[in-house]
Amino acid sequence: MDAAVNAPVDPHAWAAWIDAAHREGRLLDAPEHDLDLTAAYAVQDRLTARREARGARRIGWKLGYTSAVMREQMGVDTPNLGPLLDTMVVEPGGAVPPTLVQPRVEPEIGLVVGADGGPAEARAVLEVVDSVWRDYRFTLATNTADGSSAAGVVVGPVLDGDLAALTVELRRGDDLEATGRGDAAMGHPHHALDWLRGAIGGALRPGDLVITGGLTRAVPLGPGEVVEARFPGATVAVQGAR
């Protein structure tokens, strides 16, 4: 690890370290470091600024660990958030970029923010995560510094009905990997949206996409594999890079 990263937290140095690893397709070992959430979000902000300086544009937010199943899988006990950028968008049914090193996929309910700051519509979503930390071994803080592992978002059809009661099947090829419900996200995806408003301390922008957290555990996405989220009346799929 660079000495600058091992020293007292310098958000610019940490962001440069994480950014370079992602761009070069390298995995890092999460440091044994007294990184708190305040410092972690400062690193995340600098990481986002580096990506925006290369032309990326924020299109919304991702929430992490809003469900008990994801908190249990990853060994964290508190939700977090990260930015969604236009460079992360993957077309439905399309392949993730080959630059992703250890991609995983989870089904989510996405909310598009309306003119009044509330949800205008709900969408079936697959999130693709790709942690910079080897084997997804991280703390909440080191995961937050890495943008909550955000790497891809696949936006599917509009969802209708009671979002809390919606069921979803996560399938990889012919195999049923997991099932979940909309209320896994803080009891209701709208509650997750309320949490985000409080966390960022300000209004959301009309048109922002907020993905409200994994409804099942995340599954690995291997080369050429297809993962689908099947909601009632709405299916969205993504492919692994070959």
Side-chain angles (χ1 to χ4, degrees):
M1 184 194 314
D2 293 343
V5 173
N6 202 29
V9 174
D10 177 344
H12 293 274
W14 272 67
W17 182 51
I18 293 170
D19 188 41
H22 274 297
R23 298 187 75 192
E24 296 165 10
R26 293 186 289 111
L27 293 174
L28 303 174
D29 293 313
E32 297 291 334
H33 198 289
D34 186 20
L35 181 70
D36 63 23
L37 272 180
T38 298
Y41 278 114
V43 175
Q44 183 187 111
D45 288 346
R46 301 309 339 132
L47 178 61
T48 302
R50 294 177 70 88
R51 291 167 170 170
E52 290 175 332
R54 294 194 292 269
R57 177 177 58 87
R58 187 174 66 78
I59 58 170
W61 299 94
K62 68 143 292 180
L63 303 185
Y65 317 113
T66 59
S67 67
V69 66
M70 282 301 301
R71 291 193 294 272
E72 180 179 356
Q73 182 182 17
M74 302 315 303
V76 301
D77 58 8
T78 305
N80 69 359
L81 61 92
L84 285 181
L85 305 176
D86 60 348
T87 50
M88 299 175 180
V89 175
V90 179
E91 291 299 314
V96 301
T99 51
L100 301 189
V101 178
Q102 50 181 1
R104 296 182 180 182
V105 182
E106 56 202 63
E108 307 201 13
I109 293 175
L111 299 175
V112 179
V113 177
D116 62 354
E121 66 180 14
R123 294 281 189 142
V125 166
L126 284 171
E127 183 186 7
V128 182
V129 293
D130 188 42
S131 177
V132 77
W133 309 118
R134 192 182 318 277
D135 299 326
Y136 283 78
R137 294 181 179 177
F138 49 62
T139 64
L140 179 67
T142 50
N143 172 251
T144 299
D146 186 32
S148 190
S149 302
V153 59
V154 189
V155 182
V158 172
L159 294 171
D160 296 316
D162 179 1
L163 298 182
L166 285 184
T167 58
V168 63
E169 293 182 346
L170 184 65
R171 291 185 171 270
R172 182 167 51 174
D174 295 329
D175 296 328
L176 175 62
E177 293 284 347
T179 60
R181 279 173 47 112
D183 57 4
M186 292 186 168
H188 195 293
H190 291 178
H191 297 168
L193 189 67
D194 291 340
W195 180 88
L196 173 62
R197 287 195 195 92
I200 65 174
L204 297 168
R205 302 183 309 193
D208 271 357
L209 171 66
V210 178
I211 58 175
T212 55
L215 303 178
T216 73
R217 63 184 179 85
V219 299
L221 180 66
E225 288 186 330
V226 176
V227 172
E228 290 184 332
R230 297 183 182 178
F231 294 87
T235 296
V236 59
V238 68
Q239 296 184 40
R242 293 188 180 274

